[in-house]
Amino acid sequence: MDGWQTKVAEQMREAVHALLSVLEPEQVRELCAGPARLDAPGLREWTYLPGPRPGLPTEGLGSRQREAVDALLAAAHSAPGAELARGAIEVERHRRAMAGGTGGDRYWVRLLGDPDGDGPWAWRMNGHHLAVHVVVTAAGIRVTPHFIGAEPARIAEGPQAGRRLLGPEEDLARELVTDLDAGRRTTAVFAAAPPDDILTRADPFADPDLLPAGLRYGDMAPGQQRLLERLVRRYLDRAPEAYAEECWSDTVARGLDALSFAWAGGLAPGDRHYYCVRAPDFLIEYDNTQDNGNHAHSVWRHLRHDWGADLLRAHYTEQHG
């Protein structure tokens, strides 16, 4: 494991220990329920919709317990990424309050494997509009699939009025598509009406062929290329900084001309819209289509790293044949 990965893994290990130290025995049992092998197919089942998940529910946790969960969540992100993850929870609180809902935050934390053992271990935190998945092995860490949503996409009232959690993700893409001339825009815009949701949904394995081909990086003007680079970095930078840099370096090494961008829907702020970015190793999707264009989803999927598949395959092949 590289030095930065060792540091991040140790921070997460310490955060897990801190969480375990403030939980009751029954809560520990809820937290740690799961299969022994992290490549079990059922562990790729996920959703960003409301509803219960396996694991320890955050609803009803005491203040020290919740602080420990927050610290674990922060350990899997850069500072801006942690702000986004916390923001998804805060926007969900606003939605619940506006709907007259009661109770606490409804998310579930799950620990798989032994952080102090020699084998792979993992943890995840899931709930409405938040899906964080982390896998740690002796060879490295992985942090995808990574999903952040916001309902509403723009808060109209209350203490958070005017907040747009995913505003930069939306604005950079709109700036790019509106900067395209007619010919390039015809290639990039694949439909007048956007899809109702991200196209990969909660698929266990993300299929890039579900996404439109779009406009290739090499066919963009230099200023447009820079906008696409900034948009991609916005998603990668959710991860711990060194991992984000590694992913970006891999993208550059494979050739930025392999990137492509596609859009569907209206071009004006407030219009229902969707976009995606395809790369050889990953894909990005964003939609703001539900609730008349005030309900946003964003996801980063890595075609080799999702669920730590590459690391787990190497581990189980080496250790267990």
Side-chain angles (χ1 to χ4, degrees), residues 288-305:
N288 191 349
T289 59
Q290 300 176 35
D291 299 338
N292 198 30
N294 195 26
H295 181 156
H297 298 154
S298 70
V299 71
W300 167 28
R301 303 293 302 264
H302 198 290
L303 305 181
R304 290 184 295 108
H305 293 184

mmCIF file of all heavy atoms in Angstrom, residues 288-305:
data_model
loop_
_atom_site.group_PDB
_atom_site.id
_atom_site.type_symbol
_atom_site.label_atom_id
_atom_site.label_comp_id
_atom_site.label_asym_id
_atom_site.label_seq_id
_atom_site.Cartn_x
_atom_site.Cartn_y
_atom_site.Cartn_z
ATOM 1 N N ASN A 288 -31.116 16.470 -12.961
ATOM 2 C CA ASN A 288 -31.983 17.345 -12.171
ATOM 3 C C ASN A 288 -33.298 17.417 -12.938
ATOM 4 O O ASN A 288 -33.538 18.361 -13.692
ATOM 5 C CB ASN A 288 -31.366 18.721 -11.986
ATOM 6 C CG ASN A 288 -32.110 19.558 -10.955
ATOM 7 O OD1 ASN A 288 -33.205 19.181 -10.524
ATOM 8 N ND2 ASN A 288 -31.542 20.678 -10.572
ATOM 9 N N THR A 289 -34.100 16.391 -12.767
ATOM 10 C CA THR A 289 -35.297 16.235 -13.596
ATOM 11 C C THR A 289 -36.571 16.086 -12.777
ATOM 12 O O THR A 289 -37.630 16.551 -13.195
ATOM 13 C CB THR A 289 -35.154 15.002 -14.508
ATOM 14 O OG1 THR A 289 -34.952 13.836 -13.705
ATOM 15 C CG2 THR A 289 -33.967 15.159 -15.453
ATOM 16 N N GLN A 290 -36.503 15.444 -11.635
ATOM 17 C CA GLN A 290 -37.707 15.221 -10.842
ATOM 18 C C GLN A 290 -38.125 16.511 -10.134
ATOM 19 O O GLN A 290 -37.355 17.460 -10.033
ATOM 20 C CB GLN A 290 -37.453 14.096 -9.830
ATOM 21 C CG GLN A 290 -37.087 12.763 -10.485
ATOM 22 C CD GLN A 290 -36.739 11.690 -9.490
ATOM 23 O OE1 GLN A 290 -37.307 11.616 -8.403
ATOM 24 N NE2 GLN A 290 -35.787 10.827 -9.845
ATOM 25 N N ASP A 291 -39.361 16.532 -9.647
ATOM 26 C CA ASP A 291 -39.904 17.713 -8.967
ATOM 27 C C ASP A 291 -39.731 18.960 -9.828
ATOM 28 O O ASP A 291 -39.360 20.042 -9.354
ATOM 29 C CB ASP A 291 -39.228 17.927 -7.609
ATOM 30 C CG ASP A 291 -39.443 16.759 -6.666
ATOM 31 O OD1 ASP A 291 -40.413 16.009 -6.869
ATOM 32 O OD2 ASP A 291 -38.637 16.594 -5.737
ATOM 33 N N ASN A 292 -39.997 18.785 -11.146
ATOM 34 C CA ASN A 292 -39.927 19.900 -12.087
ATOM 35 C C ASN A 292 -38.549 20.566 -12.089
ATOM 36 O O ASN A 292 -38.414 21.787 -12.153
ATOM 37 C CB ASN A 292 -41.014 20.942 -11.778
ATOM 38 C CG ASN A 292 -41.271 21.861 -12.956
ATOM 39 O OD1 ASN A 292 -41.119 21.462 -14.119
ATOM 40 N ND2 ASN A 292 -41.655 23.099 -12.665
ATOM 41 N N GLY A 293 -37.525 19.746 -12.027
ATOM 42 C CA GLY A 293 -36.158 20.258 -12.106
ATOM 43 C C GLY A 293 -35.654 20.834 -10.798
ATOM 44 O O GLY A 293 -34.869 21.795 -10.803
ATOM 45 N N ASN A 294 -36.065 20.233 -9.668
ATOM 46 C CA ASN A 294 -35.566 20.705 -8.372
ATOM 47 C C ASN A 294 -35.245 19.511 -7.467
ATOM 48 O O ASN A 294 -35.554 19.520 -6.278
ATOM 49 C CB ASN A 294 -36.587 21.629 -7.702
ATOM 50 C CG ASN A 294 -35.976 22.424 -6.564
ATOM 51 O OD1 ASN A 294 -34.772 22.677 -6.534
ATOM 52 N ND2 ASN A 294 -36.800 22.815 -5.603
ATOM 53 N N HIS A 295 -34.608 18.516 -8.053
ATOM 54 C CA HIS A 295 -34.320 17.262 -7.345
ATOM 55 C C HIS A 295 -33.155 16.626 -8.098
ATOM 56 O O HIS A 295 -33.322 16.080 -9.183
ATOM 57 C CB HIS A 295 -35.572 16.384 -7.385
ATOM 58 C CG HIS A 295 -35.448 15.073 -6.687
ATOM 59 N ND1 HIS A 295 -36.547 14.386 -6.212
ATOM 60 C CD2 HIS A 295 -34.379 14.280 -6.399
ATOM 61 C CE1 HIS A 295 -36.164 13.244 -5.662
ATOM 62 N NE2 HIS A 295 -34.836 13.162 -5.774
ATOM 63 N N ALA A 296 -31.963 16.704 -7.525
ATOM 64 C CA ALA A 296 -30.739 16.359 -8.262
ATOM 65 C C ALA A 296 -30.103 15.076 -7.743
ATOM 66 O O ALA A 296 -30.134 14.779 -6.551
ATOM 67 C CB ALA A 296 -29.739 17.507 -8.169
ATOM 68 N N HIS A 297 -29.497 14.337 -8.672
ATOM 69 C CA HIS A 297 -28.725 13.138 -8.380
ATOM 70 C C HIS A 297 -27.354 13.270 -9.028
ATOM 71 O O HIS A 297 -27.241 13.790 -10.140
ATOM 72 C CB HIS A 297 -29.393 11.889 -8.957
ATOM 73 C CG HIS A 297 -30.738 11.583 -8.403
ATOM 74 N ND1 HIS A 297 -31.695 10.875 -9.095
ATOM 75 C CD2 HIS A 297 -31.301 11.883 -7.200
ATOM 76 C CE1 HIS A 297 -32.778 10.742 -8.359
ATOM 77 N NE2 HIS A 297 -32.572 11.354 -7.204
ATOM 78 N N SER A 298 -26.333 12.769 -8.371
ATOM 79 C CA SER A 298 -25.003 12.737 -8.983
ATOM 80 C C SER A 298 -24.289 11.470 -8.538
ATOM 81 O O SER A 298 -24.378 11.079 -7.375
ATOM 82 C CB SER A 298 -24.185 13.970 -8.586
ATOM 83 O OG SER A 298 -23.812 13.938 -7.220
ATOM 84 N N VAL A 299 -23.583 10.839 -9.474
ATOM 85 C CA VAL A 299 -22.904 9.588 -9.149
ATOM 86 C C VAL A 299 -21.574 9.508 -9.881
ATOM 87 O O VAL A 299 -21.435 9.976 -11.010
ATOM 88 C CB VAL A 299 -23.785 8.366 -9.497
ATOM 89 C CG1 VAL A 299 -23.917 8.159 -11.001
ATOM 90 C CG2 VAL A 299 -23.261 7.100 -8.822
ATOM 91 N N TRP A 300 -20.594 8.918 -9.199
ATOM 92 C CA TRP A 300 -19.279 8.606 -9.765
ATOM 93 C C TRP A 300 -19.101 7.103 -9.631
ATOM 94 O O TRP A 300 -19.139 6.563 -8.532
ATOM 95 C CB TRP A 300 -18.203 9.381 -9.002
ATOM 96 C CG TRP A 300 -16.782 8.963 -9.251
ATOM 97 C CD1 TRP A 300 -16.260 8.403 -10.377
ATOM 98 C CD2 TRP A 300 -15.693 9.085 -8.323
ATOM 99 N NE1 TRP A 300 -14.910 8.175 -10.211
ATOM 100 C CE2 TRP A 300 -14.535 8.576 -8.970
ATOM 101 C CE3 TRP A 300 -15.578 9.572 -7.020
ATOM 102 C CZ2 TRP A 300 -13.293 8.545 -8.348
ATOM 103 C CZ3 TRP A 300 -14.345 9.539 -6.401
ATOM 104 C CH2 TRP A 300 -13.220 9.044 -7.062
ATOM 105 N N ARG A 301 -18.940 6.427 -10.762
ATOM 106 C CA ARG A 301 -18.689 4.991 -10.798
ATOM 107 C C ARG A 301 -17.336 4.744 -11.448
ATOM 108 O O ARG A 301 -17.017 5.352 -12.473
ATOM 109 C CB ARG A 301 -19.772 4.262 -11.615
ATOM 110 C CG ARG A 301 -21.208 4.466 -11.158
ATOM 111 C CD ARG A 301 -21.493 3.848 -9.819
ATOM 112 N NE ARG A 301 -21.236 2.430 -9.765
ATOM 113 C CZ ARG A 301 -22.179 1.486 -9.936
ATOM 114 N NH1 ARG A 301 -23.431 1.834 -10.173
ATOM 115 N NH2 ARG A 301 -21.874 0.208 -9.825
ATOM 116 N N HIS A 302 -16.547 3.838 -10.863
ATOM 117 C CA HIS A 302 -15.263 3.464 -11.438
ATOM 118 C C HIS A 302 -15.375 2.035 -11.949
ATOM 119 O O HIS A 302 -15.741 1.133 -11.197
ATOM 120 C CB HIS A 302 -14.141 3.571 -10.411
ATOM 121 C CG HIS A 302 -12.777 3.613 -11.012
ATOM 122 N ND1 HIS A 302 -12.210 2.526 -11.628
ATOM 123 C CD2 HIS A 302 -11.866 4.614 -11.108
ATOM 124 C CE1 HIS A 302 -11.008 2.839 -12.071
ATOM 125 N NE2 HIS A 302 -10.773 4.097 -11.771
ATOM 126 N N LEU A 303 -15.076 1.835 -13.215
ATOM 127 C CA LEU A 303 -15.359 0.548 -13.838
ATOM 128 C C LEU A 303 -14.464 -0.571 -13.337
ATOM 129 O O LEU A 303 -14.827 -1.744 -13.433
ATOM 130 C CB LEU A 303 -15.247 0.680 -15.363
ATOM 131 C CG LEU A 303 -16.119 1.788 -15.960
ATOM 132 C CD1 LEU A 303 -15.970 1.829 -17.467
ATOM 133 C CD2 LEU A 303 -17.576 1.628 -15.565
ATOM 134 N N ARG A 304 -13.303 -0.266 -12.783
ATOM 135 C CA ARG A 304 -12.427 -1.284 -12.207
ATOM 136 C C ARG A 304 -12.453 -1.280 -10.677
ATOM 137 O O ARG A 304 -12.284 -2.310 -10.051
ATOM 138 C CB ARG A 304 -10.983 -1.074 -12.689
ATOM 139 C CG ARG A 304 -10.762 -1.378 -14.161
ATOM 140 C CD ARG A 304 -9.301 -1.247 -14.556
ATOM 141 N NE ARG A 304 -8.808 0.118 -14.437
ATOM 142 C CZ ARG A 304 -7.969 0.561 -13.517
ATOM 143 N NH1 ARG A 304 -7.510 -0.259 -12.586
ATOM 144 N NH2 ARG A 304 -7.568 1.826 -13.507
ATOM 145 N N HIS A 305 -12.648 -0.096 -10.096
ATOM 146 C CA HIS A 305 -12.499 0.051 -8.650
ATOM 147 C C HIS A 305 -13.796 -0.126 -7.868
ATOM 148 O O HIS A 305 -13.743 -0.298 -6.647
ATOM 149 C CB HIS A 305 -11.930 1.431 -8.314
ATOM 150 C CG HIS A 305 -10.520 1.619 -8.772
ATOM 151 N ND1 HIS A 305 -9.806 2.773 -8.494
ATOM 152 C CD2 HIS A 305 -9.680 0.828 -9.470
ATOM 153 C CE1 HIS A 305 -8.594 2.677 -9.017
ATOM 154 N NE2 HIS A 305 -8.504 1.504 -9.616
#
